[in-house]
Amino acid sequence: MTATSASTTSAGPAGVDVAQFADVTASDASLRRFLHGLPGVDQVGCEARAAGLGTRSIKTTAKAQALDLAIRMVDLTTLEGMDTPGKVRALASKAMRPDPADPTCPAAAAVCVYPDMVATAKDALGDSGVHVAAVATAFPSGRAALDIKLADTRDAVEAGADEIDMVIDRGAFLTGRYLQVFEEIVAVREACARPDGTAAHLKVIFETGELQTYDNVRRASWLAMMAGGDFIKTSTGKVQPAATLPVTLVMLEAVRDFRAQTGRMVGVKPAGGIRTAKDAIKYLVMVNEVVGQDWLDPDWFRFGASTLLNDLLMQRTKMTTGRYSGPDYFTLD
């Protein structure tokens, strides 16, 4: 891969260079050559390293800092057909003040909802600094015409979404139609643009449980980053397996290598199945070891979760008071 010269590049929403990979994305054949030319993932080595990192433990002050950081990284999520405005307002309240009894507890990163609930979430969160994320593009299946996906995205942005979580067309990806997937991500990113020239951040969901191999996860990661995604995200949370440590390791290595090659940072969001503080800390250890402290920030690493926050709060209370709160001490989401 060779980047084009600066004189031929152009910036799209959020200042992403849309021409940097023009030579790679000129055709399906060139894109296929590039993606299949990426180094293969050693499955045994990847899983062994992930398992080893998962055995690390941190104590006392470092653990307390990790719990607070993990809370700040949570995208508190409700994506059910029975969602109501009342439920979304309650979730927004919890995101702003996760532990009402402790004003030192940090706020969550975002509230993630369906597009029709964006306005409700935005109104409830006000100027708190907690973002509104909206799933779009026929989430979770991605099975819709492109014009419908783009309309879905624009509606969410117009309603005030700060972030858009889109799903790729796994059918297209798995049958090797990489350019179609690339162009769809580019189109959705352009639909994230606002009239003032800013843009909602775009998170690209792979549904790694359907991608079958770590090599496919690496290829999807590079495809999404070249198309201008601000974040790459493991899963919708609707398919198992969802987020795993080995899959996240592959994605972290991809963003590390992409930054080394292009100078651009891309965030990572594991989502689905992360339920305990112990699990969250394993991911934070992995982030620190694989990509470093630059990514230990809610701007660059998130947890997509609906139940994780309560366990983080219970562990935090234990460290603060010396005793566990009851399981019903915090609201259920």
Side-chain angles (χ1 to χ4, degrees), residues 26 28-29 47 55 57 60 93-94 117 132 134 163 174 176 185 189 195 248 258 283 326 330 333:
D28 250 321
E47 293 176 355
T55 64
S57 62
T60 60
S93 178
K94 183 170 182 175
M117 291 293 175
V132 177
E163 302 166 1
L174 290 170
I185 297 170
R189 181 173 57 78
T248 305
F258 188 78
Y283 281 90
F330 301 105
D333 306 316

Side-chain angles (χ1 to χ4, degrees), residues 98-224:
D99 184 354
D102 184 357
T104 69
C105 182
V111 170
C112 186
V113 294
Y114 277 113
D116 65 316
M117 291 293 175
V118 167
T120 298
K122 193 73 174 176
D123 180 67
L125 292 167
D127 59 358
S128 66
V130 177
H131 298 299
V132 177
V135 297
T137 66
F139 177 96
S141 70
R143 304 249 60 88
L146 180 58
D147 59 344
I148 294 174
K149 294 179 181 182
L150 297 180
D152 197 26
T153 302
R154 293 188 189 102
D155 284 349
V157 173
E158 289 172 6
D162 303 296
E163 302 166 1
I164 295 295
D165 290 28
M166 72 165 287
V167 288
I168 67 167
D169 184 335
R170 281 86 74 193
F173 182 89
L174 290 170
T175 52
R177 289 177 279 141
Y178 301 129
L179 190 58
Q180 176 183 331
V181 178
F182 174 86
E183 291 175 342
E184 188 167 287
I185 297 170
V186 170
V188 173
R189 181 173 57 78
E190 291 172 350
C192 289
R194 304 187 186 98
D196 64 1
T198 63
H201 280 201
L202 178 62
K203 304 194 200 87
V204 183
I205 309 171
F206 303 149
E207 201 67 282
T208 52
E210 295 181 345
L211 292 191
Q212 303 170 357
T213 69
Y214 295 134
D215 284 343
N216 276 341
V217 173
R218 177 166 286 174
R219 290 166 188 153
S221 298
W222 274 85
L223 188 65

Side-chain angles (χ1 to χ4, degrees), residues 50-327:
L53 291 172
T55 64
R56 305 272 182 91
S57 62
I58 58 175
K59 306 293 183 183
T60 60
T61 302
K63 183 176 180 181
Q65 292 173 341
L67 291 173
D68 277 5
L69 178 58
I71 290 170
R72 292 172 52 224
M73 290 174 165
V74 168
D75 282 1
L76 196 55
T77 302
T78 182
L79 297 170
E80 302 297 336
M82 60 183 179
D83 285 344
T84 64
K87 182 178 182 181
V88 170
R89 283 192 288 268
L91 205 68
S93 178
K94 183 170 182 175
M96 291 185 288
R97 290 289 301 273
D99 184 354
D102 184 357
T104 69
C105 182
V111 170
C112 186
V113 294
Y114 277 113
D116 65 316
M117 291 293 175
V118 167
T120 298
K122 193 73 174 176
D123 180 67
L125 292 167
D127 59 358
S128 66
V130 177
H131 298 299
V132 177
V135 297
T137 66
F139 177 96
S141 70
R143 304 249 60 88
L146 180 58
D147 59 344
I148 294 174
K149 294 179 181 182
L150 297 180
D152 197 26
T153 302
R154 293 188 189 102
D155 284 349
V157 173
E158 289 172 6
D162 303 296
E163 302 166 1
I164 295 295
D165 290 28
M166 72 165 287
V167 288
I168 67 167
D169 184 335
R170 281 86 74 193
F173 182 89
L174 290 170
T175 52
R177 289 177 279 141
Y178 301 129
L179 190 58
Q180 176 183 331
V181 178
F182 174 86
E183 291 175 342
E184 188 167 287
I185 297 170
V186 170
V188 173
R189 181 173 57 78
E190 291 172 350
C192 289
R194 304 187 186 98
D196 64 1
T198 63
H201 280 201
L202 178 62
K203 304 194 200 87
V204 183
I205 309 171
F206 303 149
E207 201 67 282
T208 52
E210 295 181 345
L211 292 191
Q212 303 170 357
T213 69
Y214 295 134
D215 284 343
N216 276 341
V217 173
R218 177 166 286 174
R219 290 166 188 153
S221 298
W222 274 85
L223 188 65
M225 293 186 294
M226 291 190 297
D230 297 297
F231 261 75
I232 52 176
K233 177 178 172 181
T234 63
S235 324
T236 64
K238 305 297 186 182
V239 172
Q240 296 299 322
T244 67
L245 286 170
V247 157
T248 305
L249 173 59
V250 172
M251 293 167 64
L252 288 169
E253 289 177 341
V255 300
R256 177 199 64 198
D257 296 346
F258 188 78
R259 184 194 196 185
Q261 187 157 322
T262 68
R264 186 166 77 88
M265 281 180 69
V266 175
V268 176
K269 179 179 173 180
I274 305 170
R275 296 185 175 88
T276 68
K278 183 177 181 180
D279 287 340
I281 289 173
K282 290 179 181 178
Y283 281 90
L284 295 183
V285 169
M286 178 177 286
V287 171
N288 187 62
E289 292 292 325
V290 177
V291 291
Q293 292 190 2
D294 285 353
W295 269 268
L296 286 173
D297 186 284
D299 285 343
W300 302 109
F301 194 80
R302 298 279 184 86
F303 294 106
S306 56
T307 59
L308 170 63
L309 183 57
N310 275 5
D311 196 64
L312 290 168
L313 294 173
M314 285 192 286
Q315 297 298 327
R316 190 179 189 276
T317 300
K318 170 64 165 57
M319 294 200 71
T320 303
T321 66
R323 61 183 183 277
Y324 282 108
S325 54

